[in-house]
Amino acid sequence: MNLGENNITAGCEDLLVTSSAATLNLNTSLIIQNAYLYWAGSGLGDFNVQLNSVSVTAQRTFSNISISSGLPYFSAFADVTSQIISTGNGTYTLSDLDISQTLIDESGYCNNRTNFAGWAMIIVYKGTTLPLNQINIYDGLESIPNAITINLSSLNVIDTTGAQIGFIAWEGDANLAINETLSINGTVLSNPPLNPADNAFNGTNSITGSDTLYNMDLDIYSIQNNITVGDTSAQIKLTSGQDVVLINAVVTKLNSQLPDASIVLNSNIQACDSKKITVNYTVFNSNCTSALPAGTPIAIYANGQLVGQSQTTTIIPINGSENGQLLITIPSGIPNNFTLTIAVDDTGNGNGIVTEILENNNQFSAAISLWTAPTFNVLDTKFTCNQGLTKGTFNFFDYSTSVLTNANDTFIGFYESLSDATTATNAISNTTNYTADVTPKEIFIRIENQHCFAITSFLLQTRNCPPTVYNYVSSNNDGANDTFFIDGLRNIFMNFELEIYNRWGTLIWTGNNNSPDWDGFASKGLRMYNSNVPEGTYYYILNLNDSDYPDPLIGWLYFRK
Protein backbone atom coordinates (compact mmCIF):
# COMPACT_ATOMS: atom_id res chain seq x y z
CA MET A 1 0.00 0.00 0.00
CA ASN A 2 3.05 2.25 -0.36
CA LEU A 3 3.20 3.99 -3.73
CA GLY A 4 6.87 4.86 -3.41
CA GLU A 5 9.98 4.48 -1.25
CA ASN A 6 9.41 6.18 2.08
CA ASN A 7 13.08 7.02 2.63
CA ILE A 8 13.58 9.13 -0.48
CA THR A 9 10.14 10.40 -1.43
CA ALA A 10 8.56 13.38 0.29
CA GLY A 11 4.84 13.78 0.76
CA CYS A 12 3.73 11.14 3.25
CA GLU A 13 0.06 11.50 2.38
CA ASP A 14 0.80 10.70 -1.25
CA LEU A 15 2.59 7.43 -0.49
CA LEU A 16 -0.09 5.42 1.33
CA VAL A 17 -3.46 4.11 0.17
CA THR A 18 -6.18 2.40 2.19
CA SER A 19 -6.80 -0.47 -0.22
CA SER A 20 -4.93 -2.58 -2.74
CA ALA A 21 -5.48 -5.72 -4.79
CA ALA A 22 -3.57 -8.86 -5.72
CA THR A 23 -4.40 -11.88 -7.87
CA LEU A 24 -4.50 -15.50 -6.71
CA ASN A 25 -3.77 -17.86 -9.58
CA LEU A 26 -3.29 -21.31 -8.05
CA ASN A 27 -3.23 -24.41 -10.24
CA THR A 28 -6.76 -25.80 -10.13
CA SER A 29 -5.44 -29.31 -9.42
CA LEU A 30 -4.17 -28.13 -6.06
CA ILE A 31 -6.35 -28.17 -2.97
CA ILE A 32 -6.23 -25.27 -0.51
CA GLN A 33 -5.75 -26.40 3.10
CA ASN A 34 -5.19 -23.12 4.93
CA ALA A 35 -5.20 -19.43 4.11
CA TYR A 36 -3.79 -16.87 6.54
CA LEU A 37 -4.20 -13.13 6.06
CA TYR A 38 -1.63 -10.69 7.50
CA TRP A 39 -1.86 -6.91 7.42
CA ALA A 40 0.45 -4.35 8.98
CA GLY A 41 1.35 -0.71 9.15
CA SER A 42 2.57 2.27 11.12
CA GLY A 43 0.70 3.23 14.27
CA LEU A 44 -1.20 1.45 17.00
CA GLY A 45 -3.22 -0.51 14.49
CA ASP A 46 -6.52 -1.13 12.77
CA PHE A 47 -7.73 -4.66 13.42
CA ASN A 48 -10.93 -4.63 11.36
CA VAL A 49 -10.61 -4.61 7.59
CA GLN A 50 -12.45 -5.77 4.47
CA LEU A 51 -11.35 -8.58 2.14
CA ASN A 52 -13.42 -8.48 -1.05
CA SER A 53 -16.00 -6.50 0.94
CA VAL A 54 -16.19 -9.18 3.64
CA SER A 55 -15.45 -7.94 7.14
CA VAL A 56 -12.36 -9.51 8.71
CA THR A 57 -11.45 -9.10 12.38
CA ALA A 58 -7.98 -9.90 13.66
CA GLN A 59 -7.73 -13.15 15.61
CA ARG A 60 -4.21 -12.35 16.79
CA THR A 61 -2.38 -9.03 16.90
CA PHE A 62 1.28 -8.09 17.16
CA SER A 63 3.01 -4.84 18.09
CA ASN A 64 6.53 -3.49 17.96
CA ILE A 65 8.02 -0.25 19.19
CA SER A 66 11.09 1.07 17.41
CA ILE A 67 14.12 1.30 19.67
CA SER A 68 15.51 4.30 17.75
CA SER A 69 12.35 6.39 17.36
CA GLY A 70 10.00 5.03 20.00
CA LEU A 71 7.23 4.81 17.38
CA PRO A 72 4.77 1.87 17.46
CA TYR A 73 4.00 -0.48 14.56
CA PHE A 74 1.40 -3.22 14.31
CA SER A 75 0.48 -6.39 12.51
CA ALA A 76 -2.66 -8.52 12.51
CA PHE A 77 -3.56 -12.10 11.64
CA ALA A 78 -6.81 -13.74 10.58
CA ASP A 79 -7.62 -17.22 9.31
CA VAL A 80 -9.55 -16.70 6.06
CA THR A 81 -9.44 -20.30 4.85
CA SER A 82 -13.18 -20.69 4.34
CA GLN A 83 -13.44 -17.47 2.31
CA ILE A 84 -10.50 -18.33 0.06
CA ILE A 85 -11.74 -21.89 -0.53
CA SER A 86 -15.19 -20.55 -1.36
CA THR A 87 -13.91 -17.79 -3.70
CA GLY A 88 -10.99 -19.60 -5.32
CA ASN A 89 -8.74 -17.95 -7.87
CA GLY A 90 -9.25 -14.31 -8.72
CA THR A 91 -8.57 -10.81 -7.52
CA TYR A 92 -8.57 -10.10 -3.80
CA THR A 93 -8.86 -6.55 -2.53
CA LEU A 94 -8.03 -5.57 1.03
CA SER A 95 -9.71 -2.30 1.95
CA ASP A 96 -10.89 -0.14 4.79
CA LEU A 97 -7.47 -0.08 6.48
CA ASP A 98 -7.27 2.99 8.70
CA ILE A 99 -3.86 4.64 8.21
CA SER A 100 -4.86 8.08 9.48
CA GLN A 101 -2.48 7.95 12.45
CA THR A 102 0.48 7.62 10.10
CA LEU A 103 -0.54 10.78 8.25
CA ILE A 104 -0.67 13.06 11.32
CA ASP A 105 2.26 15.46 11.07
CA GLU A 106 3.04 15.17 14.75
CA SER A 107 3.21 11.39 14.61
CA GLY A 108 6.76 11.44 13.30
CA TYR A 109 6.36 8.58 10.81
CA CYS A 110 6.76 10.80 7.77
CA ASN A 111 9.76 12.67 9.17
CA ASN A 112 11.26 9.36 10.23
CA ARG A 113 10.56 7.80 6.83
CA THR A 114 8.92 4.77 8.49
CA ASN A 115 5.43 5.21 7.10
CA PHE A 116 4.14 1.96 5.60
CA ALA A 117 1.06 -0.24 5.23
CA GLY A 118 0.36 -3.47 3.39
CA TRP A 119 -1.06 -6.99 3.41
CA ALA A 120 -0.14 -10.48 2.33
CA MET A 121 -1.61 -13.96 2.37
CA ILE A 122 0.07 -17.31 3.12
CA ILE A 123 -1.71 -20.25 1.48
CA VAL A 124 -0.95 -23.87 2.28
CA TYR A 125 -2.08 -26.34 -0.40
CA LYS A 126 -1.71 -29.99 -1.35
CA GLY A 127 -1.71 -31.98 -4.56
CA THR A 128 -1.53 -35.63 -5.54
CA THR A 129 1.75 -35.13 -7.42
CA LEU A 130 3.47 -33.17 -4.65
CA PRO A 131 5.92 -34.84 -2.27
CA LEU A 132 5.25 -34.92 1.45
CA ASN A 133 6.58 -31.69 2.93
CA GLN A 134 6.80 -30.23 6.39
CA ILE A 135 5.53 -26.64 6.41
CA ASN A 136 6.62 -24.46 9.34
CA ILE A 137 5.10 -20.99 9.76
CA TYR A 138 6.59 -18.59 12.31
CA ASP A 139 4.89 -15.25 12.84
CA GLY A 140 5.00 -12.22 15.09
CA LEU A 141 6.40 -8.72 14.61
CA GLU A 142 10.08 -8.56 15.43
CA SER A 143 12.43 -5.80 14.39
CA ILE A 144 15.94 -5.90 12.96
CA PRO A 145 18.65 -4.63 13.63
CA ASN A 146 20.61 -6.36 14.72
CA ALA A 147 19.67 -9.99 14.16
CA ILE A 148 16.89 -12.53 14.49
CA THR A 149 17.67 -16.23 14.85
CA ILE A 150 15.14 -19.03 14.37
CA ASN A 151 16.15 -22.57 15.26
CA LEU A 152 14.23 -25.29 13.45
CA SER A 153 14.09 -28.53 15.43
CA SER A 154 12.33 -31.89 15.07
CA LEU A 155 13.41 -32.34 11.46
CA ASN A 156 14.05 -35.55 9.58
CA VAL A 157 15.17 -34.40 6.14
CA ILE A 158 14.96 -37.27 3.65
CA ASP A 159 15.17 -35.26 0.42
CA THR A 160 16.51 -31.76 -0.24
CA THR A 161 14.77 -31.26 -3.58
CA GLY A 162 12.38 -28.32 -3.56
CA ALA A 163 13.33 -27.11 -0.08
CA GLN A 164 12.45 -23.42 0.27
CA ILE A 165 12.24 -20.55 2.73
CA GLY A 166 10.11 -17.42 2.43
CA PHE A 167 9.27 -14.39 4.51
CA ILE A 168 7.01 -11.37 4.83
CA ALA A 169 8.86 -8.24 5.98
CA TRP A 170 7.94 -4.56 6.25
CA GLU A 171 9.70 -1.22 5.93
CA GLY A 172 12.67 -2.47 3.92
CA ASP A 173 14.22 0.06 1.52
CA ALA A 174 15.97 -0.76 -1.73
CA ASN A 175 18.59 1.96 -1.24
CA LEU A 176 19.67 0.85 2.24
CA ALA A 177 21.86 -2.22 1.82
CA ILE A 178 23.99 -2.44 4.93
CA ASN A 179 24.42 -6.07 6.02
CA GLU A 180 20.84 -7.03 5.11
CA THR A 181 21.08 -10.81 4.95
CA LEU A 182 19.06 -13.97 5.18
CA SER A 183 21.08 -17.09 5.94
CA ILE A 184 20.47 -20.72 6.75
CA ASN A 185 22.97 -22.90 8.54
CA GLY A 186 25.52 -20.08 8.26
CA THR A 187 25.21 -19.58 4.49
CA VAL A 188 23.88 -16.26 3.20
CA LEU A 189 21.09 -16.72 0.66
CA SER A 190 20.62 -14.64 -2.46
CA ASN A 191 18.45 -14.58 -5.52
CA PRO A 192 20.05 -12.04 -7.85
CA PRO A 193 19.24 -9.79 -9.45
CA LEU A 194 15.96 -9.54 -7.50
CA ASN A 195 17.54 -10.15 -4.06
CA PRO A 196 21.29 -9.51 -3.75
CA ALA A 197 23.09 -11.24 -0.89
CA ASP A 198 23.60 -7.95 1.01
CA ASN A 199 20.14 -6.44 0.38
CA ALA A 200 17.55 -9.00 1.39
CA PHE A 201 14.93 -6.40 2.34
CA ASN A 202 14.71 -4.29 -0.78
CA GLY A 203 10.99 -4.10 -1.55
CA THR A 204 10.69 -7.10 -3.88
CA ASN A 205 8.19 -9.86 -4.63
CA SER A 206 9.68 -13.19 -5.69
CA ILE A 207 6.32 -14.51 -6.88
CA THR A 208 5.60 -11.68 -9.35
CA GLY A 209 9.22 -10.63 -9.92
CA SER A 210 8.39 -7.06 -8.89
CA ASP A 211 11.09 -4.78 -7.51
CA THR A 212 8.60 -2.00 -6.71
CA LEU A 213 6.88 -3.62 -3.73
CA TYR A 214 7.76 -0.52 -1.79
CA ASN A 215 8.52 -0.98 1.91
CA MET A 216 7.41 -4.60 1.82
CA ASP A 217 9.20 -7.85 0.97
CA LEU A 218 7.59 -11.11 -0.01
CA ASP A 219 10.52 -13.28 -1.00
CA ILE A 220 11.11 -17.01 -1.47
CA TYR A 221 14.52 -18.70 -1.66
CA SER A 222 15.61 -22.20 -2.57
CA ILE A 223 17.58 -23.83 0.25
CA GLN A 224 18.04 -27.30 -1.19
CA ASN A 225 21.80 -26.72 -1.33
CA ASN A 226 21.90 -25.53 2.26
CA ILE A 227 20.50 -28.60 4.01
CA THR A 228 21.50 -32.24 3.95
CA VAL A 229 19.59 -35.48 4.00
CA GLY A 230 19.41 -36.66 7.61
CA ASP A 231 19.44 -33.16 9.11
CA THR A 232 17.40 -32.96 12.31
CA SER A 233 17.71 -29.20 12.79
CA ALA A 234 18.48 -25.98 10.93
CA GLN A 235 19.21 -22.38 11.87
CA ILE A 236 17.75 -19.35 10.12
CA LYS A 237 19.25 -15.90 10.71
CA LEU A 238 18.16 -12.47 9.49
CA THR A 239 20.30 -9.35 9.90
CA SER A 240 20.17 -5.64 9.11
CA GLY A 241 22.99 -3.21 9.80
CA GLN A 242 20.99 0.01 9.56
CA ASP A 243 17.49 -0.13 8.19
CA VAL A 244 14.70 -0.97 10.68
CA VAL A 245 13.09 -4.06 9.17
CA LEU A 246 10.01 -5.71 10.73
CA ILE A 247 9.73 -9.46 10.18
CA ASN A 248 6.08 -10.59 10.16
CA ALA A 249 6.24 -14.23 9.05
CA VAL A 250 8.81 -16.82 8.03
CA VAL A 251 7.79 -20.00 6.17
CA THR A 252 9.93 -23.08 5.51
CA LYS A 253 9.14 -26.04 3.25
CA LEU A 254 11.22 -29.16 3.84
CA ASN A 255 10.79 -32.77 2.78
CA SER A 256 11.03 -33.85 6.39
CA GLN A 257 9.02 -36.96 7.16
CA LEU A 258 7.92 -37.09 10.77
CA PRO A 259 4.73 -37.97 12.64
CA ASP A 260 2.94 -35.52 14.90
CA ALA A 261 1.04 -37.12 17.76
CA SER A 262 -1.75 -35.36 19.60
CA ILE A 263 -4.45 -36.67 21.90
CA VAL A 264 -7.87 -35.67 23.17
CA LEU A 265 -10.00 -36.92 26.04
CA ASN A 266 -13.36 -37.91 24.55
CA SER A 267 -15.19 -38.86 27.71
CA ASN A 268 -14.84 -40.39 31.13
CA ILE A 269 -17.07 -42.98 32.72
CA GLN A 270 -17.58 -42.73 36.46
CA ALA A 271 -19.47 -44.45 39.22
CA CYS A 272 -20.80 -42.62 42.25
CA ASP A 273 -18.50 -42.45 45.27
CA SER A 274 -15.75 -44.24 43.38
CA LYS A 275 -12.17 -43.22 42.64
CA LYS A 276 -12.12 -45.40 39.52
CA ILE A 277 -12.55 -43.68 36.15
CA THR A 278 -12.68 -45.18 32.66
CA VAL A 279 -10.95 -42.75 30.29
CA ASN A 280 -11.85 -42.78 26.59
CA TYR A 281 -9.36 -41.00 24.34
CA THR A 282 -8.28 -40.61 20.73
CA VAL A 283 -4.69 -40.35 19.49
CA PHE A 284 -4.29 -38.39 16.23
CA ASN A 285 -1.46 -38.17 13.72
CA SER A 286 -2.50 -34.99 11.89
CA ASN A 287 -0.61 -32.33 9.94
CA CYS A 288 2.31 -34.72 9.64
CA THR A 289 4.47 -36.31 7.01
CA SER A 290 4.96 -39.83 8.40
CA ALA A 291 3.07 -42.56 10.27
CA LEU A 292 3.09 -42.72 14.06
CA PRO A 293 4.55 -46.05 15.20
CA ALA A 294 2.67 -48.58 17.30
CA GLY A 295 3.72 -48.64 20.92
CA THR A 296 3.84 -44.86 21.28
CA PRO A 297 3.49 -44.37 25.06
CA ILE A 298 0.56 -42.65 26.72
CA ALA A 299 0.54 -41.26 30.27
CA ILE A 300 -2.31 -39.96 32.39
CA TYR A 301 -1.83 -37.52 35.26
CA ALA A 302 -4.15 -36.26 38.01
CA ASN A 303 -2.98 -32.89 39.33
CA GLY A 304 0.43 -33.74 37.89
CA GLN A 305 0.64 -37.18 39.56
CA LEU A 306 1.02 -40.19 37.26
CA VAL A 307 -2.09 -42.37 37.60
CA GLY A 308 -2.13 -44.51 34.44
CA GLN A 309 -0.15 -45.58 31.39
CA SER A 310 -0.93 -47.16 28.04
CA GLN A 311 0.35 -47.14 24.47
CA THR A 312 -0.93 -47.08 20.90
CA THR A 313 -1.64 -50.53 19.52
CA THR A 314 -1.41 -49.95 15.77
CA ILE A 315 0.58 -47.87 13.30
CA ILE A 316 -1.41 -44.65 12.88
CA PRO A 317 -1.14 -43.41 9.28
CA ILE A 318 -0.88 -39.79 8.17
CA ASN A 319 -4.07 -37.98 9.23
CA GLY A 320 -5.22 -41.17 10.95
CA SER A 321 -6.34 -41.80 14.52
CA GLU A 322 -6.78 -44.55 17.10
CA ASN A 323 -9.29 -44.77 19.93
CA GLY A 324 -8.34 -46.15 23.32
CA GLN A 325 -9.75 -46.79 26.77
CA LEU A 326 -8.03 -47.06 30.13
CA LEU A 327 -9.32 -47.69 33.65
CA ILE A 328 -7.49 -45.58 36.21
CA THR A 329 -7.74 -45.20 39.96
CA ILE A 330 -7.39 -41.73 41.43
CA PRO A 331 -5.21 -41.83 44.57
CA SER A 332 -6.90 -41.00 47.85
CA GLY A 333 -4.69 -37.91 48.26
CA ILE A 334 -6.13 -36.30 45.10
CA PRO A 335 -9.23 -34.16 45.84
CA ASN A 336 -12.52 -34.89 44.09
CA ASN A 337 -12.05 -31.82 41.87
CA PHE A 338 -8.80 -32.08 39.94
CA THR A 339 -7.14 -31.62 36.55
CA LEU A 340 -6.80 -34.74 34.42
CA THR A 341 -4.01 -34.54 31.84
CA ILE A 342 -3.51 -37.16 29.17
CA ALA A 343 -0.28 -37.08 27.17
CA VAL A 344 0.86 -39.07 24.14
CA ASP A 345 4.51 -39.84 23.50
CA ASP A 346 5.08 -39.63 27.23
CA THR A 347 6.75 -42.43 29.15
CA GLY A 348 5.36 -41.21 32.45
CA ASN A 349 8.02 -38.63 33.25
CA GLY A 350 7.28 -36.04 30.55
CA ASN A 351 9.76 -37.57 28.07
CA GLY A 352 8.92 -39.17 24.74
CA ILE A 353 10.47 -41.77 22.44
CA VAL A 354 9.19 -40.51 19.06
CA THR A 355 10.68 -37.56 17.15
CA GLU A 356 7.75 -35.41 15.99
CA ILE A 357 7.14 -32.30 13.91
CA LEU A 358 5.85 -30.55 17.03
CA GLU A 359 6.79 -31.60 20.52
CA ASN A 360 4.49 -29.20 22.36
CA ASN A 361 1.06 -30.49 21.32
CA ASN A 362 1.07 -33.88 23.02
CA GLN A 363 -1.14 -33.05 26.01
CA PHE A 364 -4.83 -32.57 26.65
CA SER A 365 -6.21 -31.42 30.01
CA ALA A 366 -9.70 -31.35 31.42
CA ALA A 367 -11.23 -30.41 34.75
CA ILE A 368 -12.74 -33.48 36.40
CA SER A 369 -15.19 -33.66 39.29
CA LEU A 370 -15.65 -37.10 40.77
CA TRP A 371 -19.27 -38.04 41.26
CA THR A 372 -20.35 -38.18 44.88
CA ALA A 373 -23.72 -39.01 46.33
CA PRO A 374 -25.63 -36.18 47.99
CA THR A 375 -25.08 -35.65 51.69
CA PHE A 376 -28.08 -35.44 53.99
CA ASN A 377 -29.13 -34.50 57.48
CA VAL A 378 -29.80 -37.28 59.97
CA LEU A 379 -33.50 -37.12 60.74
CA ASP A 380 -35.03 -37.60 64.17
CA THR A 381 -37.67 -40.20 64.87
CA LYS A 382 -41.20 -38.97 64.24
CA PHE A 383 -43.50 -39.59 67.24
CA THR A 384 -47.25 -39.64 67.52
CA CYS A 385 -49.83 -41.07 69.94
CA ASN A 386 -50.40 -44.79 69.99
CA GLN A 387 -53.82 -45.52 68.55
CA GLY A 388 -53.74 -49.12 69.66
CA LEU A 389 -51.33 -51.97 69.10
CA THR A 390 -48.66 -49.37 68.13
CA LYS A 391 -50.75 -47.95 65.28
CA GLY A 392 -50.26 -44.24 64.59
CA THR A 393 -50.99 -41.41 62.17
CA PHE A 394 -48.05 -39.21 61.14
CA ASN A 395 -47.19 -35.98 59.31
CA PHE A 396 -43.62 -36.02 57.97
CA PHE A 397 -44.00 -33.70 54.97
CA ASP A 398 -41.46 -31.25 56.42
CA TYR A 399 -38.70 -33.87 56.18
CA SER A 400 -38.70 -33.40 52.39
CA THR A 401 -36.78 -30.16 52.90
CA SER A 402 -35.04 -30.62 56.22
CA VAL A 403 -33.23 -33.73 54.93
CA LEU A 404 -31.31 -31.65 52.33
CA THR A 405 -27.90 -30.17 53.10
CA ASN A 406 -27.39 -28.72 49.62
CA ALA A 407 -29.94 -26.49 47.93
CA ASN A 408 -28.86 -27.85 44.54
CA ASP A 409 -29.86 -31.40 45.48
CA THR A 410 -33.33 -32.68 44.73
CA PHE A 411 -35.73 -34.48 47.06
CA ILE A 412 -37.32 -37.37 45.12
CA GLY A 413 -39.73 -39.09 47.52
CA PHE A 414 -40.62 -41.09 50.62
CA TYR A 415 -40.80 -44.89 50.35
CA GLU A 416 -41.90 -47.77 52.55
CA SER A 417 -39.02 -50.06 51.56
CA LEU A 418 -35.38 -49.79 50.59
CA SER A 419 -36.04 -51.55 47.29
CA ASP A 420 -38.71 -49.00 46.36
CA ALA A 421 -36.34 -46.14 47.21
CA THR A 422 -33.57 -47.76 45.17
CA THR A 423 -35.79 -48.04 42.10
CA ALA A 424 -37.70 -44.81 42.84
CA THR A 425 -41.07 -46.60 42.62
CA ASN A 426 -44.22 -46.62 44.75
CA ALA A 427 -43.55 -43.33 46.49
CA ILE A 428 -45.75 -42.48 49.48
CA SER A 429 -48.35 -39.94 48.34
CA ASN A 430 -50.00 -38.98 51.65
CA THR A 431 -47.25 -37.62 53.87
CA THR A 432 -49.39 -35.34 56.03
CA ASN A 433 -51.82 -38.03 57.27
CA TYR A 434 -49.91 -41.27 56.90
CA THR A 435 -51.11 -44.27 58.94
CA ALA A 436 -48.64 -46.88 60.11
CA ASP A 437 -50.48 -49.96 61.36
CA VAL A 438 -47.44 -51.20 63.25
CA THR A 439 -44.57 -49.17 64.66
CA PRO A 440 -41.70 -48.64 64.82
CA LYS A 441 -41.74 -48.32 61.03
CA GLU A 442 -38.79 -47.23 58.88
CA ILE A 443 -39.46 -44.72 56.12
CA PHE A 444 -36.87 -44.27 53.36
CA ILE A 445 -35.98 -41.03 51.54
CA ARG A 446 -34.32 -40.73 48.13
CA ILE A 447 -32.43 -37.55 47.15
CA GLU A 448 -30.48 -36.87 43.96
CA ASN A 449 -27.87 -34.56 42.49
CA GLN A 450 -26.78 -34.30 38.86
CA HIS A 451 -25.22 -37.76 38.74
CA CYS A 452 -25.90 -39.71 41.93
CA PHE A 453 -28.56 -40.53 44.47
CA ALA A 454 -28.52 -41.21 48.18
CA ILE A 455 -30.96 -43.01 50.45
CA THR A 456 -31.50 -42.26 54.10
CA SER A 457 -34.29 -43.17 56.49
CA PHE A 458 -36.04 -42.26 59.70
CA LEU A 459 -38.37 -44.06 62.11
CA LEU A 460 -42.04 -43.63 62.82
CA GLN A 461 -42.67 -44.40 66.48
CA THR A 462 -45.75 -44.20 68.68
CA ARG A 463 -45.76 -43.33 72.34
CA ASN A 464 -48.52 -43.89 74.91
CA CYS A 465 -50.27 -40.59 75.38
CA PRO A 466 -52.36 -39.80 78.51
CA PRO A 467 -55.80 -41.41 78.24
CA THR A 468 -59.00 -39.36 78.26
CA VAL A 469 -61.64 -40.35 80.82
CA TYR A 470 -65.35 -39.87 80.00
CA ASN A 471 -66.84 -39.92 83.54
CA TYR A 472 -70.54 -40.39 82.80
CA VAL A 473 -72.17 -43.79 82.45
CA SER A 474 -75.81 -44.38 81.49
CA SER A 475 -76.62 -48.06 81.15
CA ASN A 476 -79.92 -47.69 79.32
CA ASN A 477 -78.71 -49.37 76.15
CA ASP A 478 -79.31 -46.28 74.04
CA GLY A 479 -75.85 -46.59 72.51
CA ALA A 480 -74.50 -43.51 74.24
CA ASN A 481 -72.32 -43.77 77.35
CA ASP A 482 -73.57 -47.26 78.07
CA THR A 483 -70.18 -48.14 79.63
CA PHE A 484 -67.40 -46.37 81.43
CA PHE A 485 -65.24 -45.37 78.43
CA ILE A 486 -61.63 -44.26 78.67
CA ASP A 487 -60.24 -43.17 75.32
CA GLY A 488 -56.61 -44.05 74.56
CA LEU A 489 -56.47 -46.91 77.02
CA ARG A 490 -57.27 -50.28 75.53
CA ASN A 491 -54.57 -51.98 73.37
CA ILE A 492 -52.32 -49.09 74.31
CA PHE A 493 -51.61 -49.56 78.00
CA MET A 494 -51.62 -53.31 77.71
CA ASN A 495 -51.15 -53.93 81.44
CA PHE A 496 -53.53 -51.38 82.89
CA GLU A 497 -55.64 -52.14 85.97
CA LEU A 498 -58.88 -50.28 86.65
CA GLU A 499 -60.67 -50.28 90.02
CA ILE A 500 -64.07 -48.73 90.82
CA TYR A 501 -65.21 -47.85 94.34
CA ASN A 502 -68.49 -46.68 95.78
CA ARG A 503 -68.73 -43.59 97.89
CA TRP A 504 -67.99 -45.55 101.05
CA GLY A 505 -64.71 -46.84 99.62
CA THR A 506 -65.87 -50.35 98.85
CA LEU A 507 -64.26 -51.93 95.79
CA ILE A 508 -67.09 -52.98 93.49
CA TRP A 509 -65.32 -53.71 90.17
CA THR A 510 -61.90 -54.40 88.66
CA GLY A 511 -60.89 -54.67 85.00
CA ASN A 512 -57.98 -54.79 82.60
CA ASN A 513 -57.20 -54.95 78.88
CA ASN A 514 -58.84 -58.34 78.63
CA SER A 515 -62.14 -57.43 80.31
CA PRO A 516 -65.05 -55.38 78.97
CA ASP A 517 -65.75 -51.82 79.99
CA TRP A 518 -67.68 -51.35 83.26
CA ASP A 519 -71.40 -51.18 82.57
CA GLY A 520 -72.74 -50.53 86.09
CA PHE A 521 -72.63 -54.08 87.46
CA ALA A 522 -70.65 -54.94 90.53
CA SER A 523 -68.10 -57.73 90.39
CA LYS A 524 -66.81 -57.29 93.90
CA GLY A 525 -68.38 -57.11 97.37
CA LEU A 526 -70.77 -59.53 99.05
CA ARG A 527 -73.92 -57.42 98.98
CA MET A 528 -73.56 -56.04 95.50
CA TYR A 529 -71.89 -58.88 93.63
CA ASN A 530 -73.22 -59.26 90.09
CA SER A 531 -75.93 -56.75 90.59
CA ASN A 532 -76.62 -53.38 89.08
CA VAL A 533 -75.30 -50.67 91.33
CA PRO A 534 -77.53 -47.78 92.36
CA GLU A 535 -77.31 -44.40 90.70
CA GLY A 536 -74.78 -42.05 92.12
CA THR A 537 -71.18 -40.97 92.23
CA TYR A 538 -68.38 -43.55 92.11
CA TYR A 539 -64.63 -43.31 92.13
CA TYR A 540 -61.99 -44.99 90.00
CA ILE A 541 -58.29 -45.73 90.37
CA LEU A 542 -56.49 -46.41 87.07
CA ASN A 543 -53.03 -47.95 87.27
CA LEU A 544 -51.48 -47.70 83.80
CA ASN A 545 -48.46 -49.78 84.77
CA ASP A 546 -46.34 -47.78 82.36
CA SER A 547 -42.92 -46.37 83.19
CA ASP A 548 -43.94 -42.99 81.74
CA TYR A 549 -46.92 -42.86 84.11
CA PRO A 550 -45.80 -44.25 87.50
CA ASP A 551 -48.64 -42.65 89.50
CA PRO A 552 -52.26 -43.91 89.30
CA LEU A 553 -54.97 -41.76 87.79
CA ILE A 554 -57.75 -41.12 90.32
CA GLY A 555 -61.11 -39.52 89.61
CA TRP A 556 -64.87 -39.76 89.90
CA LEU A 557 -67.63 -40.85 87.60
CA TYR A 558 -71.41 -40.60 87.71
CA PHE A 559 -73.54 -43.64 87.08
CA ARG A 560 -77.15 -43.37 85.99
CA LYS A 561 -79.53 -46.15 85.10
Side-chain angles (χ1 to χ4, degrees), residues 264-269 277-282 324-325 340 368:
V264 297
L265 176 66
N266 298 321
S267 63
N268 67 87
I269 302 172
I277 300 178
T278 299
V279 175
N280 294 292
Y281 59 86
T282 300
Q325 187 180 82
L340 184 73
I368 300 294

Side-chain angles (χ1 to χ4, degrees), residues 263-265 279-282 298-301 340-344 362-365:
I263 194 168
V264 297
L265 176 66
V279 175
N280 294 292
Y281 59 86
T282 300
I298 298 167
I300 301 179
Y301 302 88
L340 184 73
T341 300
I342 184 166
V344 63
N362 297 130
Q363 292 187 353
F364 183 94
S365 295

Side-chain angles (χ1 to χ4, degrees), residues 161-295:
T161 302
Q164 292 180 312
I165 185 172
F167 62 83
I168 301 170
W170 308 102
E171 219 287 295
D173 301 301
N175 294 318
L176 293 177
I178 301 174
N179 193 30
E180 291 191 358
T181 66
L182 169 65
S183 62
I184 184 166
N185 290 338
T187 300
V188 175
L189 303 177
S190 64
N191 184 20
L194 198 64
N195 293 298
D198 63 347
N199 197 6
F201 311 109
N202 57 351
T204 56
N205 186 329
S206 299
I207 299 174
T208 63
S210 170
D211 61 358
T212 58
L213 195 67
Y214 301 116
N215 304 116
M216 174 181 176
D217 278 88
L218 201 163
D219 289 323
I220 300 172
Y221 295 83
S222 170
I223 55 173
Q224 65 183 34
N225 295 325
N226 305 98
I227 58 173
T228 305
V229 172
D231 280 355
T232 59
S233 63
Q235 185 183 79
I236 301 168
K237 191 171 185 178
L238 304 99
T239 66
S240 175
Q242 177 179 340
D243 196 11
V244 175
V245 177
L246 298 169
I247 302 297
N248 204 167
V250 176
V251 182
T252 61
K253 183 187 77 169
L254 299 169
N255 194 341
S256 175
Q257 295 199 8
L258 289 173
D260 188 33
S262 60
I263 194 168
V264 297
L265 176 66
N266 298 321
S267 63
N268 67 87
I269 302 172
Q270 299 188 38
C272 294
D273 296 323
S274 173
K275 288 281 191 175
K276 295 183 182 295
I277 300 178
T278 299
V279 175
N280 294 292
Y281 59 86
T282 300
V283 177
F284 295 93
N285 187 29
S286 306
N287 299 320
C288 59
T289 53
S290 183
L292 182 70

Side-chain angles (χ1 to χ4, degrees), residues 464-469 486-490 492-498 540-553:
N464 295 341
C465 297
T468 302
V469 178
I486 302 176
D487 191 18
L489 179 63
R490 290 190 176 275
I492 297 173
F493 295 93
M494 304 299 293
N495 299 312
F496 78 85
E497 295 175 346
L498 178 61
Y540 66 85
I541 297 175
L542 177 59
N543 288 291
L544 297 176
N545 294 321
D546 187 290
S547 59
D548 290 336
Y549 303 93
D551 298 325
L553 303 181

Side-chain angles (χ1 to χ4, degrees), residues 30 62 89 143 173 193 322 345 370 374-375 391 418 471 480 546:
L30 302 176
F62 313 103
N89 286 336
S143 61
D173 301 301
E322 176 185 293
D345 193 24
L370 293 181
T375 59
K391 179 180 178 180
L418 177 61
N471 53 3
D546 187 290

Side-chain angles (χ1 to χ4, degrees), residues 379-441:
L379 299 174
D380 294 332
T381 297
K382 277 282 187 181
F383 286 95
T384 193
C385 291
N386 185 355
Q387 295 173 345
L389 300 177
T390 72
K391 179 180 178 180
T393 300
F394 299 85
N395 180 353
F396 46 82
F397 174 79
D398 59 318
Y399 275 6
S400 61
T401 53
S402 59
V403 70
L404 299 176
T405 62
N406 188 331
N408 294 321
D409 295 338
T410 303
F411 166 80
I412 301 301
F414 296 101
Y415 303 88
E416 293 185 322
S417 70
L418 177 61
S419 61
D420 283 348
T422 302
T423 57
T425 56
N426 303 317
I428 298 171
S429 58
N430 183 4
T431 60
T432 60
N433 193 34
Y434 175 83
T435 298
D437 291 328
V438 178
T439 62
K441 183 177 181 61

Side-chain angles (χ1 to χ4, degrees), residues 341-360:
T341 300
I342 184 166
V344 63
D345 193 24
D346 187 331
T347 58
N349 56 8
N351 297 320
I353 62 173
V354 179
T355 302
E356 304 175 64
I357 290 176
L358 292 176
E359 298 287 357
N360 61 357

